Amino acid sequence: MSRSSPAQRLASIEPGTRGHIVRVARDHRDRADRLMALGVTPGASIHVLQQFPSVVFMCDQTELAVEPAVADAILVQIE
Amino acid sequence: MSCAQVAVRKSATEPLLKLRARPLRLALVGNANVGKSVLFGRLTGQYAVVSNYPGTTVALTLGRALIGAEVCDVTDTPGVNAVEGVLSEDELVTRRILETGETDVVIQVADARNLRRGLMLTSQLAAFKLPMVLVLNMADEARTHGVHIDAAGLAASLGIPVVETVATEGRGVAALKDVLANAAVPNPRGDHAGDHAKWAHDMAVQFRRLQPRSAARVQERLSRMVREPATGLPILALVLYVMYLIVGVFGAQTLVGLIENGLFKQFINPAAAFLVNRFVPWAIVRDFLVGEYGLITMGLTYAIAIVLPVVATFFLVFGFLEDSGYIPRLAIFSDRIFRAMGLNGKAVLPMVLGLGCDTMATMTTRILGTPKERLIAVLLLALGIPCSAQLATIFGILGGISFAALMTLFGVVLAQMFLVGFLAARVLPGERSEFMMELPPIRLPHMRNVVYKTVLRVRWYLGEAVPLFLVGTALLFVLSRLGWLAAMTRGLEPLVQGLLGLPARTTEVFVMGFLRRDYGAAGLFRMARAGDLQPVQAVVALTVMTLFVPCVANFLMMVKEQGWKPALGILGVVTVIAIGTGAALNTVLHVLHVSF
Ligand SMILES: Nc1nc2c(ncn2[C@@H]2O[C@H](COP(=O)(O)OP(=O)(O)OP(=O)(O)O)[C@@H](O)[C@H]2O)c(=O)[nH]1
Ligand SMILES: [Mg+2]
């Protein structure tokens, strides 16, 4: 995998884009833990589906919906 | 066949099945919506409610299964995302049975497609040092999505039996029963201690092969259409309209007409009256059975003729929606609104379930993240969500007046819910949790399950609601005999007639409504039929009734989930809001000269 572009926040990625999760910001208490329990952890593949009204994405084989603030904390390496 | 492939650990230690003082206790544990309840049904022959959304099971279900020659106790548990860290109320229920030693063997059920998440849980479950078996369910869906798992390799690495199943078809269930004797405590995980995520990821990479394949085109298309606003909102309107046609028109008008006029007016009531008058010598008993507040003429007619057809049609449509995976997707649109009310999009589940039964939905608030969210959701359910039985009477009365009347009621109730939620979010202590939610796959519902659920729920309605209905009728009869009803009517006159502008008889209806608001509404139904209610009065009375606490059962559930104090607090607040709103609505409608 060539690191052509830097990691981006999930909240700012165009629908249709695929990539991998690099990091989940730990700045908000138990946000990262709750995301982890849903499978949103570094290394997981991700496919962005929609940004509005909620952010919807496929993480590995799970479809998830999150509010924008949460999507802002997820860093994605685009492929 | 690989779907029922069994991988048993090589070095079998001493078998688990032996002579015991009490039955072996098995617990089905796993992520939400992976098929635990279907498997529970397959193992025990008992039905646990199955729906296609996370959070169907929020309390323990117990059953018995014959495994080999042994009878075992089986427990179905609420789905969990994790069993350590920050947990919701339903996850705590599951964690408790692992901690307290109430379980001898854990059957972890995982979605084969989602091996990573399943293993993350395996890693946490291993800490409880209980013998385990891993079930990879939904092997059929895994295959259509190009997911292949090396079950034998996984079993060897984990040191526990791994079985692939398709619970809905019963495939692999016999194999599961066979390997239960080999359940074992999972191997220590080496140097990843604590980092469940990394371990699960590495294991998934090692034992799972993904073939990029999109066999499920239609599914993806549909899923996209309901989720994007441009298509999703029109679809929502269409769904509501179809629901109205089936429940509000076919159920509440056609079926009710047939049963009430055809069956009760023509046959049952005259026959009952004839028999009672002929064979019962005491006037008071005759009155009790077939008089104005008679058990048969009033109680049974309401319960069977007016409410039952709507409850049945509603649950049929509702069960279909539940199993399709559509309901959780409404969270995408409603998250922003719920956030203003101190909740998040996930609250759409208990709210929509409340349309079926507020009491059950009050229990489902366990899936919400924080105590504050649970309290607000319980309050809003009690305040504004009409249950199916009550929808019956709303459609029945207002459907016959005008569409505008119907919209006025729903508009006022929704606005009131929003206002109360908005204020509660600011007044109550605590905070809301962030919106993050799993969306189940869109599936074509199995009609068998939908019909089965409907039958169960209708039976439950008859079992729970009808006796209470009869008690209410009896109570009204006694009150009216003792002259207390007249006294109450007089006492409440300034409120009912003055403030709300309703006929004096409405007080009786409110007494019934206190037991269950749909009975009250059913009373209004009769008054409306008899021409005793003007359209404006009908709208005002129904609005007040809708805003009341749904029923005695719902109140008791509130006590169970929140304690006496909050429950009484909610009861008080809701009653004041109901009457206040009714008075305001009455004034506004009169000032504006609205007549519907
Ligand atoms: N295709 C397929 N669907 C399944 C299978 N097992 C269960 N389902 C469906 O998955 C959905 C969830 O099943 P449940 O048994 O309610 O799941 P649960 O694990 O009890 O869920 P919670 O109680 O919410 O934790 C239902 O719509 C089932 O029909 C399976 O093996 N294959
Ligand atoms: Mg279940």
Side-chain angles (χ1 to χ4, degrees):
Chain A
M1 182 168 65
S2 66
R3 295 221 150 207
S4 48
S5 59
Q8 286 189 31
R9 290 169 190 281
L10 173 56
S12 61
I13 299 175
E14 279 291 301
T17 315
R18 288 170 195 271
H20 282 93
I21 293 173
V22 204
R23 195 162 66 81
V24 179
R26 291 209 146 262
D27 52 0
H28 186 284
R29 48 165 222 125
D30 57 74
R31 180 192 281 157
D33 289 340
R34 286 186 60 214
L35 281 171
M36 183 180 91
L38 290 169
V40 182
T41 58
S45 67
I46 193 169
H47 181 193
V48 184
L49 298 173
Q50 178 174 320
Q51 286 285 359
F52 184 85
S54 300
V55 183
V56 184
F57 59 99
M58 218 43 207
C59 175
D60 193 26
Q61 301 283 319
T62 310
E63 191 172 343
L64 295 169
V66 301
E67 63 180 81
V70 174
D72 219 37
I74 302 171
L75 285 178
V76 177
Q77 177 67 52
I78 293 173
E79 275 165 9
Chain B
M1 169 168 283
S2 77
C3 267
Q5 183 182 13
V6 183
V8 187
R9 180 172 80 103
K10 294 257 161 51
S11 60
T13 40
E14 84 180 281
L16 265 163
L17 301 187
K18 55 186 176 204
L19 224 57
R20 253 176 276 277
R22 48 166 177 71
L24 192 72
R25 293 161 308 180
L26 314 171
L28 292 159
V29 179
N31 291 108
N33 209 38
V34 296
K36 296 179 293 300
S37 297
V38 179
L39 202 56
F40 176 84
R42 288 280 169 187
L43 287 173
T44 62
Q46 238 165 285
Y47 183 81
V49 179
V50 170
S51 301
N52 187 17
Y53 55 80
T56 306
T57 312
V58 291
L60 303 175
T61 312
L62 304 174
R64 291 230 146 151
L66 189 65
I67 314 266
E70 211 180 334
V71 177
C72 300
D73 284 341
V74 186
T75 309
D76 183 22
T77 64
V80 292
N81 287 323
V83 287
E84 56 183 60
V86 195
L87 301 179
S88 58
E89 202 66 35
D90 56 331
E91 288 174 323
L92 285 173
V93 171
T94 301
R95 192 195 150 104
R96 243 170 262 142
I97 89 152
L98 294 168
E99 275 175 341
T100 51
E102 282 168 54
T103 307
D104 300 312
V105 177
V106 173
I107 302 175
Q108 188 198 341
V109 186
D111 171 0
R113 255 181 93 188
N114 260 309
L115 184 65
R116 250 176 101 255
R117 282 182 63 195
L119 287 172
M120 202 134 70
L121 198 59
T122 312
S123 177
Q124 297 183 12
L125 289 171
F128 293 92
K129 302 264 183 260
L130 288 166
M132 284 179 62
V133 173
L134 177 61
V135 174
L136 300 175
N137 191 34
M138 310 219 183
D140 54 338
E141 286 199 350
R143 174 170 299 196
T144 53
H145 283 86
V147 178
H148 295 274
I149 296 173
D150 173 10
L154 192 60
S157 173
L158 292 170
I160 61 174
V162 177
V163 189
E164 288 186 70
T165 60
V166 181
T168 38
E169 293 164 24
R171 276 197 284 167
V173 175
L176 168 64
K177 287 186 177 183
D178 287 342
V179 301
L180 272 174
N182 301 320
V185 177
N187 282 339
R189 304 182 314 274
D191 52 356
H192 295 120
D195 194 348
H196 307 299
K198 175 152 177 24
W199 176 80
H201 185 77
D202 293 347
M203 289 287 280
V205 169
Q206 194 179 343
F207 295 108
R208 180 178 68 174
R209 240 171 346 106
L210 293 176
Q211 261 170 11
R213 185 202 294 188
S214 308
R217 275 274 161 75
V218 183
Q219 219 183 5
E220 257 159 46
R221 260 262 190 62
L222 266 173
S223 162
R224 177 193 200 118
M225 279 169 62
V226 297
R227 137 188 116 222
E228 288 181 347
T231 42
L233 292 176
I235 289 177
L236 175 60
L238 187 71
V239 167
L240 288 176
Y241 183 64
V242 171
M243 199 149 171
Y244 171 73
L245 285 186
I246 298 179
V247 181
V249 177
F250 177 70
Q253 286 165 33
T254 316
L255 283 185
V256 168
L258 277 177
I259 300 180
E260 201 200 3
N261 295 329
L263 202 57
F264 275 82
K265 279 229 178 90
Q266 308 243 353
F267 300 104
I268 296 184
N269 288 344
F274 173 77
L275 289 176
V276 168
N277 288 332
R278 172 111 205 231
F279 294 109
V280 180
W282 310 282
I284 183 166
V285 177
R286 279 205 301 263
D287 215 21
F288 181 66
L289 289 175
V290 293
E292 196 185 356
Y293 301 109
L295 275 189
I296 298 172
T297 34
M298 182 163 128
L300 216 58
T301 310
Y302 285 170
I304 306 292
I306 298 176
V307 180
L308 186 66
V310 180
V311 172
T313 45
F314 178 84
F315 278 134
L316 201 62
V317 181
F318 194 66
F320 186 88
L321 287 178
E322 274 187 329
D323 286 11
S324 69
Y326 180 66
I327 296 173
R329 285 176 166 74
L330 295 175
I332 296 174
F333 299 122
S334 55
D335 176 50
R336 280 160 201 266
I337 301 166
F338 279 118
R339 269 193 267 152
M341 299 194 270
L343 299 164
N344 72 52
K346 209 171 180 177
V348 84
L349 270 177
M351 293 300 147
V352 173
L353 295 186
L355 293 172
C357 169
D358 284 298
T359 311
M360 295 295 148
T362 300
M363 195 149 92
T364 302
T365 58
R366 289 180 183 181
I367 65 168
L368 302 180
T370 67
K372 177 178 178 174
E373 284 173 47
R374 280 197 288 283
L375 184 59
I376 296 181
V378 169
L379 169 65
L380 294 182
L381 280 169
L383 180 71
I385 305 287
C387 69
S388 50
Q390 204 196 348
L391 280 174
T393 44
I394 294 179
F395 281 140
I397 301 171
L398 297 189
I401 295 178
S402 72
F403 191 66
L406 207 56
M407 287 300 107
T408 306
L409 177 115
F410 286 128
V412 169
V413 170
L414 278 177
Q416 194 55 266
M417 277 178 74
F418 183 79
L419 191 70
V420 169
F422 185 84
L423 292 175
R426 274 140 197 86
V427 170
L428 294 173
E431 52 190 321
R432 70 169 187 95
S433 61
E434 290 182 317
F435 174 56
M436 43 183 101
M437 186 176 171
E438 175 182 0
L439 303 174
I442 295 272
R443 294 198 176 100
L444 187 67
H446 293 276
M447 278 327 279
R448 245 182 69 104
N449 188 46
V450 174
V451 170
Y452 198 67
K453 268 201 282 198
T454 308
V455 170
L456 264 181
R457 286 164 165 172
V458 167
R459 211 191 291 159
W460 156 83
Y461 163 76
L462 293 175
E464 176 175 358
V466 173
L468 200 59
F469 214 141
L470 299 184
V471 169
T473 317
L475 181 75
L476 218 51
F477 176 80
V478 173
L479 286 179
S480 104
R481 279 274 148 174
L482 292 178
W484 292 2
L485 202 56
M488 282 168 74
T489 307
R490 244 176 289 121
L492 292 173
E493 201 185 283
L495 196 73
V496 173
Q497 286 171 268
L499 212 52
L500 299 174
L502 299 172
R505 264 203 70 187
T506 328
T507 308
E508 296 165 14
V509 166
F510 285 151
V511 171
M512 282 292 276
F514 198 74
L515 283 181
R516 273 180 67 108
R517 55 186 180 187
D518 55 299
Y519 300 166
L524 294 177
F525 193 57
R526 229 164 84 133
M527 288 174 66
R529 283 276 179 86
D532 292 342
L533 272 184
Q534 299 306 310
V536 171
Q537 290 177 321
V539 172
V540 171
L542 269 176
T543 304
V544 174
M545 197 73 81
T546 306
L547 291 172
F548 269 161
V549 170
C551 64
V552 174
N554 185 79
F555 177 72
L556 293 179
M557 182 61 84
M558 274 163 32
V559 173
K560 182 163 162 259
E561 295 292 309
Q562 299 279 337
W564 276 101
K565 263 196 189 162
L568 284 172
I570 292 176
L571 183 65
V573 167
V574 164
T575 307
V576 170
I577 294 176
I579 294 172
T581 309
L585 183 63
N586 180 39
T587 313
V588 170
L589 291 179
H590 274 106
V591 167
L592 296 179
H593 294 289
V594 181
S595 58
F596 297 110

